[in-house]
Amino acid sequence: MEKRNERIEVMNHLAVNMDDIVNKYLIPIDTNWQPSDFLPDASKETFFDEVKELQQAARELPYDYWAVLIGDMITEEALPTYESSIMVVQGVDMVHEPEGWARWTRAWTAEENRHGDLLNKYVYLSGRVNMKAVETSTQYLIADGFDIKTDDDPYKTFVYTSFQELATNISHRRTASLAKKHGNNSLSKMCAMIAADEMRHHKAYKSFITSIFEIDPSEMMIAFADMMKQKIVMPAHFLREMNGEKSGVYGHFSDAAQRLGVYTGKDYIEITELLLKDWNIATMTGLSGPAAKAQDYLMRLPERLTRLTDRIKVPELEYKFSWIN
């Protein structure tokens, strides 16, 4: 109970600056991009010609690319799970403090919501996708939830989001580059815009952890190490297809991403190294005994992960997803 109260006190202290946080890391709604900015306009006579052009460009994208793009889209569409998981974190109080961390969570969710909307409309118009199968996987992912091992701990939750937002940025940034390589400039721009949002969100969550380290360094260090010991799982780790088992298709989605170089084990290591550097883990002093042990574990982690990653072999054969026509 004492630890819980201390975390709530820290969160309340940080929430005093909520106006500054929102203004720094989120874009005003009236000036932000919306999915319709990048898609054919059904109210115009040119709509069907634009859809044909979109579909022609979509035919040039390889099979694994579609697997990754759809998997990314389903991940984005499972936003209700991510919002609800943050709303129950210690220090987030929608009822009594709606303008505190609950305000951030709502506003962050509102920006993220555009991502799934945009990708969903694109894959629907592309003509390459079995939308019933995709929609079934999406409903399953939301219904199944996820298990990211953060409990209701804000320190662990913000470690997870700091890591995951950067991982998502990398994935969308690389799907943008690959789309451009295949001559699909419109899709490239869509993915790049989403990636830019994810980078801003990563910087926000990373700054929250930086502030917590300044106030409660030992507990923050222990929480960081605890999260890394159990591995940062991807939010779509329960991904499945129609009539499939929970998590049954996630491995195939991950394999496709690794074959394309969209998100790899090396990226996981590089994100870890970046967070260690940005949070000044190596030079932090004045820690408790358990926190010093956690610090030592964290500094040894990249080398250990590198040894493990070097042993992993990605299957070369493509899996036949029900999502792709």
Side-chain angles (χ1 to χ4, degrees):
M1 181 60 71
E2 182 179 352
K3 182 185 290 187
R4 177 186 178 88
N5 290 337
E6 288 174 353
R7 276 161 163 64
I8 292 174
E9 185 177 341
V10 170
M11 289 288 281
N12 288 342
H13 175 76
L14 297 181
V16 171
N17 300 315
M18 190 53 63
D19 283 345
D20 293 337
I21 290 171
V22 169
N23 291 336
K24 183 175 182 179
Y25 294 109
L26 301 178
I27 296 174
I29 294 172
D30 287 343
T31 59
N32 213 341
W33 64 264
Q34 297 298 335
S36 58
D37 295 333
F38 304 98
L39 296 165
D41 186 344
S43 69
K44 293 184 178 179
E45 292 183 0
T46 57
F47 174 69
F48 292 106
D49 290 335
E50 291 176 13
V51 171
K52 284 183 180 179
E53 185 178 338
L54 183 154
Q55 292 183 340
Q56 287 172 354
R59 293 191 190 103
E60 302 302 318
L61 299 169
Y63 190 91
D64 269 347
Y65 185 95
W66 279 105
V68 171
L69 185 69
I70 295 167
D72 283 350
M73 186 218 82
I74 294 170
T75 304
E76 295 283 0
E77 291 277 68
L79 184 60
T81 298
Y82 319 143
E83 180 184 25
S84 61
S85 71
I86 296 177
M87 280 298 191
V88 299
V89 164
Q90 299 163 20
V92 182
D93 189 341
M94 183 65 186
V95 176
H96 301 103
E97 298 288 343
E99 294 305 307
W101 284 106
R103 175 188 172 194
W104 163 263
T105 305
R106 294 193 309 272
W108 166 79
T109 301
E111 279 205 348
E112 287 280 339
N113 188 65
R114 292 142 54 250
H115 303 168
D117 280 355
L118 175 57
L119 293 177
N120 187 302
K121 290 181 176 74
Y122 177 83
V123 300
Y124 173 76
L125 292 172
S126 74
R128 289 289 307 274
V129 176
N130 178 341
M131 288 304 297
K132 178 68 176 288
V134 170
E135 290 158 354
T136 300
S137 288
T138 302
Q139 185 172 353
Y140 264 126
L141 187 59
I142 297 171
D144 288 337
F146 64 2
D147 183 12
I148 56 175
K149 311 297 184 186
T150 57
D151 301 317
D152 62 349
D153 186 335
Y155 295 10
K156 292 181 180 180
T157 297
F158 288 165
V159 167
Y160 181 85
T161 50
S162 297
F163 194 106
Q164 184 53 42
E165 290 282 17
L166 185 53
T168 309
N169 163 267
I170 291 169
S171 180
H172 287 303
R173 184 155 38 89
R174 290 191 181 143
T175 54
S177 296
L178 287 168
K180 189 173 184 179
K181 180 180 176 182
H182 288 282
N184 197 325
N185 292 329
S186 61
L187 178 58
S188 177
K189 188 172 183 180
M190 295 178 208
C191 295
M193 296 299 288
I194 294 172
D197 279 359
E198 305 292 12
M199 178 55 77
R200 276 190 294 104
H201 299 164
H202 158 70
K203 289 179 178 178
Y205 285 111
K206 187 171 65 173
S207 76
F208 303 160
I209 295 292
T210 298
S211 297
I212 295 171
F213 266 123
E214 293 171 357
I215 301 168
D216 194 9
S218 289
E219 284 298 316
M220 187 62 251
M221 188 70 74
I222 292 169
F224 185 18
D226 284 348
M227 284 303 297
M228 299 310 295
K229 285 176 183 177
Q230 59 199 7
K231 199 170 186 292
I232 303 292
V233 298
M234 297 299 104
H237 66 110
F238 285 160
L239 193 62
R240 64 163 103 180
E241 293 177 301
M242 187 181 294
N243 299 317
E245 296 294 324
K246 184 188 289 187
S247 300
V249 79
Y250 175 74
H252 300 300
F253 164 58
S254 178
D255 289 343
Q258 294 215 60
R259 281 193 295 269
L260 282 179
V262 166
Y263 185 76
T264 68
K266 183 179 178 182
D267 294 315
Y268 187 98
I269 297 168
E270 289 180 352
I271 293 172
T272 302
E273 291 174 329
L274 182 141
L275 295 178
L276 292 172
K277 177 177 177 291
D278 288 354
W279 290 331
N280 299 311
I281 300 302
T283 58
M284 204 166 292
T285 58
L287 299 170
S288 67
K293 290 182 180 178
Q295 180 186 38
D296 182 64
Y297 167 82
L298 288 165
M299 293 311 301
R300 295 174 184 270
L301 185 58
E303 182 180 349
R304 178 173 172 270
L305 290 173
T306 299
R307 291 198 302 271
L308 293 172
T309 301
D310 287 344
R311 299 174 194 162
I312 297 174
K313 292 185 178 180
V314 181
E316 295 180 7
L317 294 177
E318 297 173 340
Y319 171 80
K320 297 304 179 185
F321 292 88
S322 63
W323 309 329
I324 305 170
N325 289 329

